[in-house]
């Protein structure tokens, strides 16, 4: 594993190696800082627990002393001679009136006991018949709960029992046992229930600080307080009581608390002291945040300066590598830009020497490319002239035949039009000094040619042109469309006896002009088209004419442009020409192709 990491580090660039090294050193320093800070926190936690546990011990002792007084009070009540006598008389008396009188006496006696106790909320005696006699607050106890309390007191057989009721109510429960003088019969006379003001006991012993709370639990229920202050809840307290350590931090979504707890040997209850964490550790947290912010600032500064330092070393090398990759991919169009690098031009180190040597090599490659480009232009010009010389003059012979025919049939009324059209065509075909002409001029040539052919075919020829005005200035190789219209007349119009429709359309698609010459003649089968593309069909000049047009377009504009054929027998045959849209740049295009 270590070998793989070492190998990966060695294979990284110098820039990444330096950044990785700086990052590792800074993160190591930060880890050491966190370790020291954690040790300080643990020490502070331990000291806080010692102080809090001392306070809890003192408070719990005082609270339990008060509970012992309440327990002694319940003992005095159950052993009171008057109450013993009254309860015994209740069992012996049969008169309802007398029983009520005795119960009134018991109530008065309970008032005497409860009135002198400031921590007693109420005192309630229940006789064997289930009748309740109470002193203090008149809040009653449900019948079901009374049954449970009587059973609890009976199980303890005269000993005191603590019962935690709903909403943190604390009850001391004890059974009345009958005794007479020195003889104890221990018969059940009833049950005494003392409701205790546990909130007053706690508040007297503990000074409440902002946000801190004392929580007392018997393991199943919370004895104090009746309601937990938000955001604390029973679930959080239950989890804290199950913690193995006697102190720790309670983390809640809203806030964190420091908690310390002890367990009472007298009642077995757990005393839990909760203090807001931020209040106790506010200064420590502030110092931690300040140190963290300072470290982050130092880390960012180290990264910035490290980046600049490594960049000053690696940037010249990266530029040189970029040049090499550009040349390696064959992208030589930017060689002129690559040879200029003012940053490293004056450097006298090894990287500067490499740049200067590479620049000299690029300049020599540029010279060789320019020489080769000039030779290629000469070759292309020669090929264009050779291809233009191959235009089939077949339509000229047909024109002469048409003139002869018109002269015989019509008494020279249409000869002038045909002669003008023929003269225009002859001038256009003979004058080959302009390699590229406007699309509008090319359409004029086509119209002259169609004018002559209409004299021959009359209404059998239906010819239309649909070209937007904004495309009329597009440069196009001379005599590109006329051969295609001638081809449509030969192979679509001549074999038919009905009307033949020939149409020229043009449209602009993303800086590309699409020109289509289509007819509704017999068309061509897919097999014929395949053989035509392979150069195997050479009939009546068609093969040479199409190849001529295709080669001239490709030599003029590049291999991505040209001529394609689409045909569906007896439906439509379409010739699609694809050339770039270069409106108003006719002179520049002619210069580029050697015009």
């Amino acid at each position: 594993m270590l070998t793989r990491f070492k190998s990966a580090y060695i294979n990284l660039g110098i820039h990444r190696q330096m950044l990785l090294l700086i990052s590792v050193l800074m993160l190591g320093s930060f880890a050491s800082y966190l370790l020291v800070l954690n040790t300080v926190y643990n020490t502070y936690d331990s000291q806080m627990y010692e102080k809090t546990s001392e306070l809890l011990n003192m408070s719990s002792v005082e609270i339990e002393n008060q509970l012992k007084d309440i327990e002694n009070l319940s003992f005095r009540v159950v052993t009171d001679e008057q109450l013993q006598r009254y309860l015994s008389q209740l069992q012996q008396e049969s008169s309802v009136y007398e029983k009520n009188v005795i119960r009134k006496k018991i109530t008065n006696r309970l008032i005497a006991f409860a009135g002198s106790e400031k921590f007693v909320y109420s005192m309630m005696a229940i006789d064997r018949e289930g009748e309740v006699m109470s002193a203090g607050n008149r809040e009653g106890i449900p019948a079901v709960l009374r049954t449970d309390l009587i059973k609890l007191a009976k199980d303890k057989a005269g000993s005191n029992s603590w019962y935690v009721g709903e909403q943190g109510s604390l009850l001391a429960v004890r059974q009345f046992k009958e005794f007479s003088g020195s003889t104890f019969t221990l018969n059940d006379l009833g049950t005494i229930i003392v409701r205790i003001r546990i909130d007053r006991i706690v508040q007297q012993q503990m000074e409440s600080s902002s946000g801190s709370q004392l929580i007392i639990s018997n393991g199943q229920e919370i004895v104090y307080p009746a309601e937990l202050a938000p955001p604390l809840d029973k679930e959080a307290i239950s989890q804290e009581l199950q913690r193995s350590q006697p102190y720790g931090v309670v983390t809640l979504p809203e806030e964190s608390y420091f908690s310390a707890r002890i367990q009472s040997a007298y009642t077995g209850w757990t005393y839990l002291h909760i203090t807001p964490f931020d209040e106790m550790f506010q200064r420590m947290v502030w110092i931690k945040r300040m140190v963290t912010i300072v470290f982050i600032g130092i880390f960012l500064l180290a990264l910035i300066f490290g980046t600049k330092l490594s960049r000053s070393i690696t940037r010249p090398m990266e530029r040189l590598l970029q040049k090499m990759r550009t040349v390696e991919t064959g992208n030589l169009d930017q060689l002129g830009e690559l040879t200029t690098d003012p940053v490293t031009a004056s450097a006298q180190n090894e990287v500067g020497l490499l740049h200067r040597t590479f620049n000299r090599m690029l300049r020599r490659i540029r010279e060789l490319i320019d020489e080769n480009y000039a030779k290629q232009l000469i070759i292309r010009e020669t090929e264009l002239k050779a291809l233009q010389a191959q235009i089939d003059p077949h339509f000229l012979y047909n024109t002469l035949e048409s003139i002869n025919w018109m002269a015989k049939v019509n008494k020279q009324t249409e000869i002038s039009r045909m002669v003008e059209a023929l003269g225009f065509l002859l001038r256009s075909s003979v004058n080959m000094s302009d390699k590229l002409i406007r699309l509008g001029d090319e359409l004029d040539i086509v119209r002259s040619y169609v004018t002559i052919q209409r004299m021959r075919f009359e209404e059998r020829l239906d010819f239309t042109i649909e070209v937007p005005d904004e495309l009329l200035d597009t440069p196009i190789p001379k005599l590109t469309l006329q051969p295609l219209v001638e081809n449509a007349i030969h192979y679509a119009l001549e074999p038919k006896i009905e009307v033949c429709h020939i149409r020229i359309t043009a449209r602009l698609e993303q800086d590309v002009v699409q020109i289509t010459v289509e007819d509704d003649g017999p068309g061509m089968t897919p097999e014929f088209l395949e053989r035509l593309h392979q150069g195997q069909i050479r009939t009546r000049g068609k093969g040479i004419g199409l190849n001529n047009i295709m080669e001239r377009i490709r030599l003029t504009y590049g291999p991505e442009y040209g001529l394609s054929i689409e045909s569906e027998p007896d439906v439509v045959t379409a010739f699609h020409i694809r050339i770039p849209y270069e409106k108003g740049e006719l002179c520049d295009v002619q210069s580029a192709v050697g015009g």
Side-chain angles (χ1 to χ4, degrees), residues 18-32:
M18 294 188 67
L19 292 182
L20 181 61
L21 180 61
I22 293 173
S23 301
V24 169
L25 292 176
M26 296 301 296
L27 291 176
S29 302
F30 187 67
S32 301

Side-chain angles (χ1 to χ4, degrees), residues 395 425 442 445-446 449 479-487:
F395 77 96
L425 287 175
E442 178 70 11
I445 296 174
V446 173
Y449 175 77
L479 294 180
T480 297
L481 300 180
Q482 185 274 333
L484 297 178
V485 176
E486 179 184 358
N487 182 83

Side-chain angles (χ1 to χ4, degrees), residues 302-347:
L303 284 181
I304 292 173
F305 284 111
T307 302
K308 290 187 175 181
L309 177 61
S310 62
R311 281 297 183 189
S312 65
I313 298 173
T314 59
R315 187 178 290 110
M317 300 179 66
E318 290 175 353
R319 289 197 184 98
L320 184 59
L321 287 174
Q322 182 181 2
K323 293 179 181 180
M324 292 180 176
R325 292 192 183 100
T326 302
V327 176
E328 181 182 8
T329 57
N331 185 9
L332 304 180
D333 294 334
Q334 300 179 355
L335 287 180
E337 300 176 2
L338 293 176
T339 55
T340 59
D341 193 352
V343 177
T344 57
S346 59

Side-chain angles (χ1 to χ4, degrees), residues 535-594:
Q536 299 177 5
I537 305 298
R538 303 174 65 87
T539 59
R540 288 197 287 177
K542 178 179 177 180
I544 295 176
L546 295 179
N547 289 333
N548 185 338
I549 296 171
M550 185 178 299
E551 289 299 324
R552 283 194 295 143
I553 293 175
R554 289 181 177 176
L555 287 172
T556 301
Y557 301 112
E560 65 270 24
Y561 302 99
L563 172 67
S564 61
I565 306 173
E566 180 183 1
S567 181
E568 183 177 353
D570 298 322
V571 178
V572 66
T573 298
F575 297 87
H576 301 289
I577 297 173
R578 176 184 171 89
I579 60 175
Y581 179 60
E582 298 174 348
K583 181 179 180 181
E585 301 180 2
L586 181 58
C587 295
D588 297 337
V589 175
Q590 287 179 347
S591 300
V593 297

Side-chain angles (χ1 to χ4, degrees), residues 393 395-397 399-400 403 418-432 445 448-449 452 478-479:
F395 77 96
L396 296 176
Y397 301 114
T399 302
L400 294 176
I403 294 174
M418 295 182 65
V419 170
E420 289 177 0
L422 179 59
F424 181 79
L425 287 175
L426 288 174
R427 285 192 300 272
S428 300
S429 61
V430 172
N431 182 16
M432 298 301 294
I445 296 174
S448 298
Y449 175 77
I452 296 172
K478 193 173 184 179
L479 294 180

Side-chain angles (χ1 to χ4, degrees), residues 293-306:
I293 293 173
V294 171
F295 171 81
I296 293 175
I298 295 174
F299 180 75
L300 293 177
L301 288 176
L303 284 181
I304 292 173
F305 284 111

